[in-house]
Amino acid sequence: MSEDHPGTGDRTAPEPGTPPVIRLRAVSRTFPGPPPVTALHPHDLEIARGEYAAVVGPSGSGKSTFLNLLGLLDRPSGGTYELDGIDTGALSEARRTALRGLRIGFVFQSFHLLPYRTAMENVMLAQVYTGSPRAGRADAARRVLERVGLGHRAEALPSRMSGGERQRVAVARALVNRPSLLLCDEPTGNLDSATALRVMELFEELHEGGLTLLVITHDREVADRARRTITIRDGRLTAAGTAAER
């Protein structure tokens, strides 16, 4: 598996023939019973490089199952999932873990920051897991913190930060390895409306810089800020067009 992959902030259009970041072909997930429970029905889906899409649905609709499949945290029961043109079903667990660390940045509702580590240290830890050279970790962490507007808070602990600042540290941690995909799970769920708005504005800036984003949410206002909406209900996906087409 090659470790060359697109970085964030690439404003150029994809080269002709470039595979989509996500390509699903009849992907499904059924949990064994008795009786078996189908959490995700077979579906085809593509997310192009540079796209900003939202997956919206109520609790129990299958969003978590979908997130786990896209994030390589679970395997589908059927179908194929290609990430950056790589058939993930053909990979060992070790190679799936490596692919996940290099090509997917995760942003969660609860931030998942280590409380006794500074913002800088939390971001640097993401590089440890991918084997990035030690010498460049601090510089890379500082650059992404500056990119999300927190260069001045690099030495602050999460307990000394607002919710919005903690979420921006989490975004910086997700960006530091220059992923192909930013995968966000209810990223504004623990934020007040004004702070949530600032985080969504940050996502729009990242999208304008060329990053591929997929936001999973139950909040229709959050979903409407994306350029494309995918609805999930009872494990069935319905993909709408882009914002320009709707």
Side-chain angles (χ1 to χ4, degrees):
M1 179 180 68
S2 170
E3 294 188 2
D4 295 333
H5 57 287
T8 61
D10 180 3
R11 292 177 178 272
T12 60
E15 293 292 331
T18 299
V21 173
I22 291 172
R23 177 183 281 136
L24 306 181
R25 290 290 180 264
V27 162
S28 65
R29 183 67 172 100
T30 299
F31 295 97
V37 175
T38 299
L40 185 68
H41 292 269
H43 197 80
D44 295 352
L45 180 69
E46 292 188 359
I47 303 293
R49 193 167 311 283
E51 207 173 342
Y52 179 6
V55 177
V56 63
S59 297
S61 60
K63 296 193 306 296
S64 294
T65 297
F66 191 56
L67 169 75
N68 289 339
L69 292 176
L70 294 183
L72 301 179
L73 302 170
D74 192 13
R75 291 180 181 266
S77 303
T80 59
Y81 170 24
E82 294 180 8
L83 176 64
D84 269 349
I86 298 168
D87 183 354
T88 63
L91 302 179
S92 67
E93 283 305 316
R95 295 191 70 190
R96 282 166 60 88
T97 299
L99 184 68
R100 180 170 62 243
L102 286 169
R103 309 217 182 194
I104 303 175
F106 291 92
V107 178
F108 298 101
Q109 176 177 341
S110 299
F111 318 133
H112 295 316
L113 301 178
L114 296 181
Y116 302 111
R117 299 280 188 169
T118 66
M120 173 82 81
E121 290 169 334
N122 268 282
V123 174
M124 290 173 65
L125 281 170
Q127 301 171 85
V128 172
Y129 300 137
T130 59
S132 298
R134 181 185 297 270
R137 291 174 191 167
D139 285 345
R142 191 173 297 279
R143 282 196 300 271
V144 292
L145 283 169
E146 289 173 352
R147 186 178 183 191
V148 301
L150 285 180
H152 64 296
R153 300 286 275 156
E155 302 304 323
L157 295 173
S159 61
R160 300 290 185 178
M161 295 180 172
S162 67
E165 287 177 329
R166 281 180 281 169
Q167 191 60 295
R168 281 188 282 163
V169 173
V171 172
R173 180 185 57 195
L175 294 176
V176 72
N177 291 321
R178 303 176 66 241
S180 300
L181 171 68
L182 192 65
L183 189 56
C184 307
D185 182 22
E186 302 286 2
T188 62
N190 281 341
L191 305 176
D192 61 72
S193 57
T195 304
L197 176 60
R198 289 194 290 271
V199 169
M200 297 311 297
E201 288 172 345
L202 172 60
F203 286 169
E204 290 172 356
E205 291 173 11
L206 295 171
H207 168 248
E208 291 297 323
L211 185 63
T212 307
L213 291 95
L214 194 145
V215 177
I216 294 177
T217 183
H218 71 277
D219 188 332
R220 178 59 69 174
E221 289 186 12
V222 172
D224 284 346
R225 298 186 74 93
R227 304 300 182 263
R228 178 184 180 195
T229 301
I230 300 160
T231 301
I232 185 167
R233 185 177 295 276
D234 298 328
R236 291 180 168 85
L237 294 171
T238 303
T242 64
E245 295 169 338
R246 294 199 304 270

